[in-house]
Amino acid sequence: MKLVVLLIMITGLVVSCNNKPNESEEEHHGGHQTLQKKLEAMSVDSISYDVSTEEFFKDLKKVLAEVPDTEFEFYVPERSSMIKSFPCSNCHSKSLDELQKLGEEEMKKAHWNIKLKHADADVMECATCHNENNLDELKTITNKGISINHSYQLCGQCHSTQYKDWQGGAHGKRLGGWTPPRVVNSCVNCHDPHSPAFESKWPARLNTVKLKQQSSD
Amino acid sequence: MNNEIDKNESCRSGNCGCGKKEDGFDQTLNKTTDRRNMLKSLTAGLLTGAGLLNSSCSVTASDNKKEKKELEWEEYFKGNYQVMTDKEKEDTVKRLERLYELNNGTHANISSQEAQKDVLYGYAFNISKCQGYMDCVNACVQENNQDRDSQMQYIRIHEHENGQMNFELAEDDYYHEVPAQGHFYMGTQCFHCENPPCVEVCPVKATWKEKDGIVVIDYDWCIGCRYCMAACPYDGRRFNWATPQVPEEEVNEDQHYLGNRLRKKGVMEKCTFCIQRSRSGKNPACVEACPTGARIFGNLLDPNSDIRWVLANKKVFRLKEDLGTEPKFWYFMD
């Protein structure tokens, strides 16, 4: 009697321990498949979205970003119309050197409230970014002109990591919605180029009532 | 003499057996009864009366009240949103909008917009950029009509000390200038897992994952057992212990049936990736509100989206990866 029971138990164990082939093995492999491969397998090449981002800011003037050595296609807000007294050459006919040689008193009259807090005096002064002879433009390290609408090219010379991240979408604020076309803030839309660091500030809310559901405390 | 008196009394009590019949008046209005029967008839009468008063057949209630009762009656018998036909979805949305109008006087737009084709939402959070401003929390509360009394928040911002990422040691209720020296900030909310434990444990299937990846709740089907709250490893789900109170002027009237429509006491709610916004192409309120651009949202199936670039080029990680929940919310640093 005991022998029969024992035999039944062993048979039961052996039968249930059979490795189920194929199905679970594939699933197992699927679990080990990297996220990239999974997403690539699921990706759809040309998706037609119902809504375009442009619906959300019809009156924003934008320009196509000039990023020639990349495959990115995105827009930034236009800058020249946002500066009150652009073009600068309307008032300033003297070159930058001459303006700087005018002395403290004269300098105080124009843009007196711009304090340069960007790196230090060894690295930055007015002429580092502004084109001496054409005050409407900026310039690269090699003295090539940069349009005021594409000032991001200037920033990207020193801040190349942030520049790459910004082109890809990991840095900066996207405008509108999540559907194409992609419109992002340019560097100067968030960072004041003369004093780019952000100050600390108070948070937007004070949690006065501790939620009953919070697990801590 | 005595006999006569006795007879009269027993006649009145209905037990006389003397054969003398009482007239109709006596039979109905002077009928004697015992305590048990009295209680039975009294209860039945009161219930019917109360029912009639409260129902749509009432003659004393106003037209508005009757319509409300009728709508609530129909709402009570509707099915789970997942099995509703399109017509039923339209009907329930209309009923809810009308009820809102009757209750509050203002108009609400409740949408039942379906998932867009070829869309799977993904979210990325840049830890280096978050400074702890909590603009996202404010925007979320406003957008999703959350209870103000208990300060319900779908999003939590955790202030960690540099050098570790232990959520049990993080401070969630800081109130000082941010960013604090020597600390960094991380935000958590529902991560909309691809393999959601909350969906698995719901005993009534009131929560499920939609085609575009958003995990949603049918507030009218939820029974409030909070099993999903126990199952979620990320503290993503919230429960309404009381009727949610939202000041009238702050109510967001662009609502979705599965999203920010007004909930009731005893049901679960959580982040829905602002389903009322994302399905119309807008970013969720938190993404829109963040001033530093620390939050990134997009379509995982679109190889040109920001979220795909982040996943391919930044060092990303997810929380509690070993649980196999496959959340669609990644963290990364600059």
Side-chain angles (χ1 to χ4, degrees):
Chain A
M1 193 53 205
K2 276 193 197 157
L3 191 59
V4 174
V5 171
L6 196 61
L7 272 175
I8 293 175
M9 277 172 57
I10 294 177
T11 322
L13 274 173
V14 167
V15 165
S16 61
C17 278
N18 259 341
N19 276 328
K20 287 207 179 85
N22 291 343
E23 257 184 50
S24 54
E25 224 178 280
E26 253 183 40
E27 262 180 22
H28 219 56
H29 275 168
H32 287 306
Q33 205 181 27
T34 62
L35 178 68
Q36 286 298 336
K37 290 223 178 70
K38 254 199 268 193
L39 285 175
E40 272 165 41
M42 293 194 301
S43 287
V44 183
D45 269 323
S46 56
I47 305 181
S48 62
Y49 291 107
D50 297 335
V51 192
S52 138
T53 309
E54 292 180 331
E55 308 252 335
F56 302 125
F57 44 77
K58 298 231 171 81
D59 33 333
L60 175 74
K61 281 204 219 132
K62 56 189 201 292
V63 291
L64 186 62
E66 283 171 16
V67 282
D69 295 322
T70 67
E71 288 176 12
F72 297 115
E73 191 185 307
F74 59 94
Y75 296 85
V76 292
E78 205 231 11
R79 189 68 181 169
S80 42
S81 52
M82 305 286 283
I83 303 176
K84 230 195 316 191
S85 30
F86 190 83
C88 314
S89 48
N90 277 349
C91 301
H92 292 290
S93 45
K94 296 199 179 105
S95 77
L96 200 53
D97 310 334
E98 288 173 33
L99 282 174
Q100 282 176 322
K101 286 196 193 104
L102 283 174
E104 282 271 335
E105 279 302 315
E106 282 290 320
M107 286 280 278
K108 279 209 191 121
K109 281 192 208 159
H111 304 300
W112 59 275
N113 56 347
I114 292 185
K115 297 243 178 335
L116 197 56
K117 267 203 298 183
H118 195 164
D120 54 30
D122 289 339
V123 181
M124 286 291 224
E125 53 137 15
C126 314
T128 314
C129 301
H130 291 280
N131 188 338
E132 289 102 340
N133 301 313
N134 180 357
L135 289 165
D136 293 336
E137 275 198 350
L138 307 162
K139 66 177 210 238
T140 69
I141 298 179
T142 50
N143 273 319
K144 302 221 170 54
I146 295 180
S147 150
I148 200 91
N149 282 326
H150 299 281
S151 53
Y152 50 84
Q153 292 169 339
L154 168 60
C155 314
Q157 290 176 113
C158 292
H159 303 281
S160 54
T161 327
Q162 286 90 324
Y163 188 45
K164 287 210 192 77
D165 280 349
W166 175 75
Q167 290 172 341
H171 186 119
K173 188 134 178 75
R174 184 163 170 167
L175 299 170
W178 55 270
T179 53
R182 179 163 160 245
V183 185
V184 274
N185 268 340
S186 177
C187 314
V188 294
N189 291 116
C190 294
H191 302 276
D192 173 1
H194 303 117
S195 170
F198 294 126
E199 307 283 324
S200 70
K201 60 181 197 178
W202 285 85
R205 84 182 282 128
L206 159 66
N207 282 340
T208 50
V209 172
K210 260 217 160 85
L211 289 180
K212 291 181 201 143
Q213 295 144 41
Q214 245 176 310
S215 46
S216 59
D217 292 338
Chain B
M1 272 290 194
N2 280 347
N3 277 349
E4 270 184 33
I5 291 172
D6 280 342
K7 258 199 198 157
N8 278 340
E9 278 194 20
S10 53
C11 269
R12 248 177 269 131
S13 74
N15 289 335
C16 61
C18 62
K20 177 178 175 202
K21 282 211 171 91
E22 293 173 336
D23 64 12
F25 182 87
D26 283 338
Q27 275 178 348
T28 49
L29 295 173
N30 267 348
K31 194 161 73 158
T32 52
T33 177
D34 59 7
R35 181 159 40 236
R36 186 177 191 163
N37 281 323
M38 181 267 295
L39 283 172
K40 262 200 227 171
S41 5
L42 206 60
T43 320
L46 279 172
L47 279 176
T48 320
L52 277 176
L53 258 182
N54 264 339
S55 79
S56 39
C57 316
S58 163
V59 290
T60 53
S62 68
D63 275 333
N64 261 1
K65 214 162 167 220
K66 276 199 259 184
E67 198 187 344
K68 246 201 270 183
K69 288 296 161 190
E70 201 180 309
L71 290 170
E72 282 173 12
W73 180 261
E74 283 175 31
E75 277 286 291
Y76 189 76
F77 288 104
K78 73 181 178 186
N80 186 318
Y81 191 77
Q82 288 178 84
V83 294
M84 278 190 199
T85 61
D86 282 341
K87 174 81 174 50
E88 288 173 330
K89 286 187 190 168
E90 257 187 68
D91 286 340
T92 180
V93 155
K94 283 211 188 78
R95 282 196 296 263
L96 285 167
E97 286 182 346
R98 181 76 187 126
L99 270 172
Y100 186 82
E101 228 173 318
L102 290 171
N103 281 326
N104 302 59
T106 48
H107 185 64
N109 303 318
I110 304 184
S111 141
S112 55
Q113 189 177 15
E114 305 242 312
Q116 280 187 41
K117 201 161 123 15
D118 293 331
V119 172
L120 184 68
Y121 294 114
Y123 203 114
F125 187 99
N126 189 339
I127 302 178
S128 307
K129 290 276 182 312
C130 178
Q131 311 289 331
Y133 294 145
M134 292 181 100
D135 281 286
C136 48
V137 179
N138 275 352
C140 174
V141 167
Q142 207 286 320
E143 170 73 27
N144 289 299
N145 297 324
Q146 297 178 48
D147 178 31
R148 306 297 199 260
D149 279 351
S150 64
Q151 289 202 5
M152 181 178 291
Q153 294 158 16
Y154 297 158
I155 300 176
R156 299 216 205 284
I157 304 294
H158 308 270
E159 182 182 67
H160 294 281
E161 255 190 54
N162 277 347
Q164 46 78 51
M165 209 174 76
N166 186 349
F167 281 89
E168 288 177 32
L169 302 177
E171 175 62 49
D172 294 351
D173 290 320
Y174 56 87
Y175 192 58
H176 49 66
E177 274 196 27
V178 284
Q181 271 269 21
H183 290 79
F184 66 95
Y185 299 87
M186 283 177 77
T188 58
Q189 60 204 67
C190 168
F191 292 150
H192 296 275
C193 306
E194 270 299 278
N195 194 7
C198 57
V199 167
E200 271 188 62
V201 301
C202 179
V204 295
K205 295 225 187 337
T207 186
W208 65 92
K209 187 178 63 158
E210 289 263 301
K211 282 212 193 82
D212 52 1
I214 305 183
V215 177
V216 296
I217 304 171
D218 182 353
Y219 307 117
D220 293 320
W221 204 253
C222 173
I223 57 173
C225 67
R226 295 164 51 228
Y227 213 41
C228 56
M229 201 172 184
C232 176
Y234 306 112
D235 187 26
R237 302 184 69 111
R238 308 278 175 268
F239 184 65
N240 284 301
W241 293 98
T243 309
Q245 301 295 327
V246 188
E248 257 190 65
E249 65 274 7
E250 294 180 30
V251 169
N252 177 7
E253 297 189 337
D254 293 316
Q255 304 170 358
H256 192 286
Y257 183 91
L258 297 168
N260 63 338
R261 68 178 167 111
L262 296 174
R263 279 77 65 185
K264 46 190 195 257
K265 173 175 173 177
V267 297
M268 301 296 300
E269 59 182 77
K270 67 180 191 59
C271 162
T272 55
F273 277 170
C274 281
I275 195 169
Q276 66 278 0
R277 293 174 63 106
S278 46
R279 283 188 175 174
S280 341
K282 295 194 211 156
N283 276 327
C286 50
V287 177
E288 182 106 15
C290 177
T292 65
R295 291 169 174 274
I296 293 162
F297 182 78
N299 181 5
L300 287 168
L301 301 180
D302 181 356
N304 299 322
S305 61
D306 296 348
I307 178 77
R308 285 289 294 271
W309 191 89
V310 166
L311 293 179
N313 293 285
K314 306 300 290 181
K315 298 171 183 58
V316 297
F317 67 93
R318 297 182 290 196
L319 294 184
K320 303 200 185 185
E321 187 79 54
D322 43 318
L323 293 178
T325 50
E326 305 287 319
K328 293 198 288 291
F329 193 109
W330 286 266
Y331 292 93
F332 66 102
M333 283 155 281
D334 276 344

